[in-house]
Amino acid sequence: MKVVGFTFVRNAIKYDYPVLESINSLLPLCDELIVAVGNSEDDTLGLIQKINSPKIRIIETVWDDSLREGGRVLAVETDKALAAVPADADWAIYLQADEVLHEADYAAIRAGMERWKDDKSVQGLLLNYRHFYGSYDYVGDSYRWYRREIRIVRPGIGVASYRDAQGFRLADNSKLRVKLLDATVHHYGWVKTPAAMQRKQETFNKLWHSDEWVAQNVAPAEEFDYSQVDSLQRFAGTHPQVMLGRIRQQNWRYEHDMSRNQHRFKDKFKRFLEQLTGYRLGEYRNYKLV
């Protein structure tokens, strides 16, 4: 079985992405790993070049900053990395620069790829998600966080990144037929120093909106206000080993008052129904479970 990883990154130092941790969490699963490094305002290219692995193949890209609708440029950059995956790969496994796999899930991921390798009716594999927020101690538990997404796809069948690169579809816009694996992506996109998070908000919203929208909706500030969140729960599990050094070096504290958690009535009903039946009402599913 040949497995190739792919990812993309730009301005990783400026925006404090855990991209080294992300890549290092992918390497044990891959025979090769494609990293599309975009034209950056910092030494992101040098950062990636210092990773000591013969598996890594870097392709340098130039982002089209005129693509400012729906985060489309993120999908374009994802597709550049996916296009570099060799045609003889059985699976292509993808992470974004703020996503990390836990070593405890490697066995389940490998087993899933082996099990469905020769079943061409399975076009992708679905992973669960855990979204950290504010610090490494809290995870989002409201319904605004997506709980699953495709992160392993079958190359050579016309798969392309969808919308803002959250997931994938076929070239004819049909959803992929997928199997769910018992593995979880740790998403750290909302865990940065408050100053770094504020810089990211001011810049990254421009990938979705006009300058006028950003000026009206993203208030200028020195630091991001993490208190504006509906509901969090304290994380009681373990982080991936590759993240432990970064976590030890964190230099800010964030405490969330659980008594301030807010759930809309319809979300309370959804939670009740899910606990009763296992079905999540109204869930966004950019895939077909088979």
Side-chain angles (χ1 to χ4, degrees), residues 133-134 144 190 192-202 205 218-219 221-229 254:
Y133 182 92
R144 74 185 185 93
W190 289 88
K192 301 180 188 296
T193 62
M197 178 57 76
Q198 180 64 25
R199 290 196 302 271
K200 180 186 174 185
Q201 290 296 301
E202 292 173 356
N205 271 289
V218 181
E222 292 296 320
E223 296 186 342
F224 182 74
D225 181 7
Y226 277 115
S227 68
Q228 304 302 309
V229 64
Y254 172 69

Side-chain angles (χ1 to χ4, degrees), residues 3-268:
V3 179
V4 177
F6 66 107
T7 188
F8 73 98
V9 65
R10 183 193 196 193
N11 292 329
I13 300 171
K14 180 178 181 180
Y15 296 117
D16 194 27
Y17 280 110
V19 65
L20 297 184
E21 293 82 359
S22 178
I23 289 172
N24 283 318
S25 78
L26 263 181
L27 283 171
L29 293 167
C30 301
D31 298 290
E32 184 181 16
L33 202 163
I34 312 299
V35 184
V37 180
N39 52 311
S40 300
E41 301 165 30
D42 56 24
D43 192 23
T44 295
L45 179 60
L47 183 71
I48 304 303
Q49 288 172 333
K50 290 177 183 176
I51 300 176
N52 184 27
S53 175
K55 296 181 181 180
I56 292 178
R57 176 155 59 97
I58 296 172
I59 59 173
E60 297 183 49
T61 67
V62 177
W63 286 35
D64 183 354
D65 292 320
S66 69
L67 295 177
R68 298 187 60 171
E69 183 177 351
R72 181 60 191 160
V73 68
L74 304 178
V76 170
E77 294 301 312
T78 297
D79 285 341
K80 290 177 184 178
L82 178 56
V85 172
D88 62 344
D90 294 294
W91 293 110
I93 181 169
Y94 170 73
L95 287 181
Q96 296 189 355
D98 54 14
E99 299 177 344
V100 181
L101 294 175
H102 199 296
E103 65 279 0
D105 289 335
Y106 288 164
I109 294 172
R110 287 194 187 98
M113 291 190 292
E114 286 281 7
R115 180 178 181 183
W116 306 111
K117 176 174 72 73
D118 297 321
D119 185 345
K120 303 304 182 183
S121 69
V122 178
Q123 300 166 318
L125 300 174
L126 195 67
L127 300 184
N128 296 302
Y129 263 76
R130 181 173 290 126
H131 302 275
F132 290 87
Y133 182 92
S135 79
Y136 300 102
D137 299 320
Y138 295 98
V139 291
D141 74 335
S142 69
Y143 283 102
R144 74 185 185 93
W145 305 98
Y146 52 93
R147 66 167 176 164
R148 297 168 177 167
E149 195 48 87
I150 300 168
R151 281 297 175 264
I152 304 173
V153 298
R154 192 180 296 280
I157 62 170
V159 173
S161 187
Y162 183 62
R163 290 186 177 174
D164 63 353
Q166 179 177 310
F168 295 89
R169 284 197 181 184
L170 293 173
D172 63 3
N173 204 38
S174 60
K175 295 180 180 180
L176 271 65
R177 299 188 301 272
V178 302
K179 291 289 186 179
L180 174 65
L181 302 186
D182 185 18
T184 301
V185 175
H186 288 59
H187 177 217
Y188 296 102
W190 289 88
V191 182
K192 301 180 188 296
T193 62
M197 178 57 76
Q198 180 64 25
R199 290 196 302 271
K200 180 186 174 185
Q201 290 296 301
E202 292 173 356
T203 300
F204 264 63
N205 271 289
K206 294 179 181 179
L207 302 181
W208 280 262
H209 307 288
S210 66
D211 289 338
E212 292 74 20
W213 187 97
V214 173
Q216 292 175 9
N217 292 274
V218 181
E222 292 296 320
E223 296 186 342
F224 182 74
D225 181 7
Y226 277 115
S227 68
Q228 304 302 309
V229 64
D230 47 8
S231 180
L232 301 175
Q233 292 296 324
R234 185 171 287 277
F235 178 57
T238 63
H239 291 273
Q241 283 286 328
V242 294
M243 285 294 297
L244 298 185
R246 171 179 281 264
I247 292 171
R248 283 193 295 268
Q249 294 171 11
Q250 76 173 45
N251 59 358
W252 79 98
R253 292 184 59 83
Y254 172 69
E255 294 293 337
H256 174 71
D257 182 357
M258 298 294 184
S259 67
R260 296 184 59 193
N261 281 351
Q262 299 178 1
H263 294 282
R264 296 174 298 177
F265 175 79
K266 69 176 183 178
D267 290 338
K268 292 179 180 178

